Amino acid sequence: MESITRKQGAGSMTKREQDVLRLLAMGKSNKQIALDLGISDYTVRDHVSSLLRKQGVGSRMELIARQAANPLHLSGS
């Protein structure tokens, strides 16, 4: 698995985390994200938790606000 085998800095995101963040920014729920990406709700929850930790924020809203203020050019796939 890429996210496990690849060493990452505290602020780096995996491709899947970028996908999750892009969909979060579109206002989608964990369930909707899971359906869109073909993964479980629990996996989405884990990705969101990882993003919160990596970005040093305490909520999804803070995460989305930070993304809006500093876009990472997350393109739709």
Side-chain angles (χ1 to χ4, degrees), residues 7 11 15 17 26 30 37 40 49-50 52 58 69 71 77:
K7 286 196 172 212
K15 169 72 170 96
E17 288 171 342
M26 293 170 64
N30 283 7
L37 298 179
S40 77
S49 294
S50 178
L52 293 171
S77 358

Side-chain angles (χ1 to χ4, degrees), residues 29-56:
S29 68
N30 283 7
K31 187 170 189 163
Q32 291 169 322
I33 293 168
L35 289 171
D36 285 358
L37 298 179
I39 59 179
S40 77
D41 298 8
Y42 300 107
T43 302
V44 173
R45 184 192 64 199
D46 290 344
H47 286 307
V48 172
S49 294
S50 178
L51 286 164
L52 293 171
R53 185 179 65 256
K54 286 179 179 183
Q55 296 298 316

Side-chain angles (χ1 to χ4, degrees), residues 11 13 17-26 51 55 57 59-75:
M13 284 189 278
E17 288 171 342
Q18 291 175 15
D19 294 340
V20 169
L21 181 56
R22 179 177 46 81
L23 294 169
L24 274 176
M26 293 170 64
L51 286 164
Q55 296 298 316
V57 296
S59 72
R60 295 164 67 104
M61 291 306 294
E62 286 179 87
L63 181 63
I64 293 166
R66 180 169 287 191
Q67 167 60 22
N70 300 301
L72 298 173
H73 307 289
L74 303 176
S75 59

